[in-house]
Amino acid sequence: MIVEREVDYIKKLGVEVVTNAVIGRLFTVDELLNEKGYDACFIATGAGLPMFLGIPGENFNGVYSANEFLTRANLMKAYLFPEYDTPIKRPKRVAVFGAGNVAMDSARVALRLGAEKVYLVYRRSEAEMPARKAEIHHAKEEGVEFVLLTNPVRFLDDGKGNLRAVECIKMELGEPDESGRRRPIPVEGSEFQMEIDVAIPALGAKANPLLLKTLPDLKLNRRGYIIAEEETGMTSKTGVFAGGDIVTGAATVILAMGAGKKVARAINEYLKWKYWDVSGFIEQ
Ligand SMILES: Cc1cc2nc3c(=O)[nH]c(=O)nc-3n(C[C@H](O)[C@H](O)[C@H](O)COP(=O)(O)OP(=O)(O)OC[C@H]3O[C@@H](n4cnc5c(N)ncnc54)[C@H](O)[C@@H]3O)c2cc1C
């Protein structure tokens, strides 16, 4: 509702909203700037490309990235199936891999979709979990079972490509790694299996390369995010600005909204400068 109100307000200001337009496929940024008559572009494409475990069996039916699981369940209203025609597997036994806020969200949504058992599998201990304390508390309170110091090794199917189980290995903590957290080390011979029918890797997300691949002259940092000036969102390419998760990496709504406001002012200044000559602002 709040988002709808914001969108309506922006439309009332005179903004034309073009939906179903994937930039980098339908048009490139260069086409928008050089052929379609746009004077500036603001890239706010987020960090929506989910990361996976990279273990055998990750393509079995029943393995969803947290993004897909939450998008289907909530945004596409699969919880109202068949009133809404988005299918989602109604899970009985679920394992969520990871321990950030999105992992907690996914585990709790799985419970609310009717799962009998939801495990949260994490390779370190609770002390190292990146999720907010409140999220951890609420997940436990709602009945999520934490399986700590455990890492998945491979998924197993029923012979027809449907997820049946996950094989895991126990871990122990060694010396701190570059993140400052103690490094998890596999305990040899400690493999065991858990029966599950849905698995949800919730390992974070990164920049989707779709649009960025069509902008070879845009400078990215070593993690693949756009390098932009903090105060203006100005990038290495003239007329191209960027903000939100695509600059900071996965962060928060409030930071993305703040960037949008700052960059809007900077684009306004840029356009004034672009169309300013000695006699004043040039009418277009
Ligand atoms: C499950 C989950 C829970 C979260 N919970 C919270 C929370 O509780 N509080 C909080 O503050 N933050 C939360 N976050 C983080 C928050 O959602 C992001 O930080 C924020 O949405 C980033 O805003 P953004 O505008 O940069 O990108 P996004 O909100 O990701 O928007 C990017 C948009 O660009 C579109 N897009 C991408 N590529 C293209 C393209 N090539 N062409 C056209 N359009 C494109 C996408 O479809 C998307 O609509 C959560 C994130 C996730 C995944």
Side-chain angles (χ1 to χ4, degrees), residues 21-23 44-46 70 102 105 210-211 244-245 251-253 256:
V22 178
I23 307 305
T45 45
L70 292 172
V102 174
D105 270 5
L210 180 71
L211 175 138
D245 281 8
T252 62
V253 170

Side-chain angles (χ1 to χ4, degrees), residues 24-192:
R25 275 275 191 276
L26 197 60
F27 304 112
T28 63
V29 168
D30 282 317
E31 281 167 344
L32 294 176
L33 291 174
N34 303 329
E35 295 167 28
K36 300 275 170 201
Y38 291 89
D39 292 303
C41 281
F42 175 45
I43 302 179
T45 45
L49 189 70
M51 293 198 267
F52 284 91
L53 293 157
I55 59 173
E58 216 165 3
N59 56 349
F60 289 149
N61 290 328
V63 183
Y64 298 89
S65 71
N67 282 41
E68 182 184 353
F69 183 72
L70 292 172
T71 302
R72 277 177 185 263
N74 200 357
L75 205 62
M76 298 171 76
K77 298 198 172 16
Y79 66 93
L80 292 175
F81 187 83
E83 202 179 314
Y84 280 76
D85 61 2
T86 308
I88 198 165
K89 196 163 176 177
R90 290 289 172 155
K92 285 202 174 67
R93 299 171 75 86
V94 181
V96 176
F97 301 95
N101 295 323
V102 174
M104 304 298 157
D105 270 5
S106 305
R108 293 169 71 191
V109 168
L111 278 174
R112 289 173 203 188
L113 283 175
E116 289 158 13
K117 200 89 194 150
V118 177
Y119 304 106
L120 190 127
V121 181
Y122 181 48
R123 59 194 182 137
R124 292 181 159 104
S125 74
E126 190 171 325
E128 287 83 24
M129 283 188 172
R132 285 196 302 261
K133 290 268 178 290
E135 298 279 347
I136 297 170
H137 172 80
H138 288 135
K140 279 187 186 169
E141 195 177 50
E142 205 164 332
V144 176
E145 193 175 310
F146 286 16
V147 183
L148 303 175
L149 291 167
T150 301
N151 213 21
V153 179
R154 64 183 173 125
F155 291 112
L156 302 144
D157 76 335
D158 61 357
K160 295 181 192 149
N162 300 307
L163 182 65
R164 172 179 68 78
V166 59
E167 184 173 303
C168 296
I169 188 163
K170 292 305 267 176
M171 310 292 278
E172 59 190 6
L173 295 179
E175 293 301 308
D177 61 16
E178 59 284 353
S179 75
R181 293 177 301 173
R182 291 177 64 194
R183 187 191 301 275
I185 303 163
V187 179
E188 218 177 297
S190 67
E191 289 86 351
F192 68 102

Side-chain angles (χ1 to χ4, degrees), residues 5 78 208 243 246:
R5 248 191 354 243
N208 191 321
I246 190 62

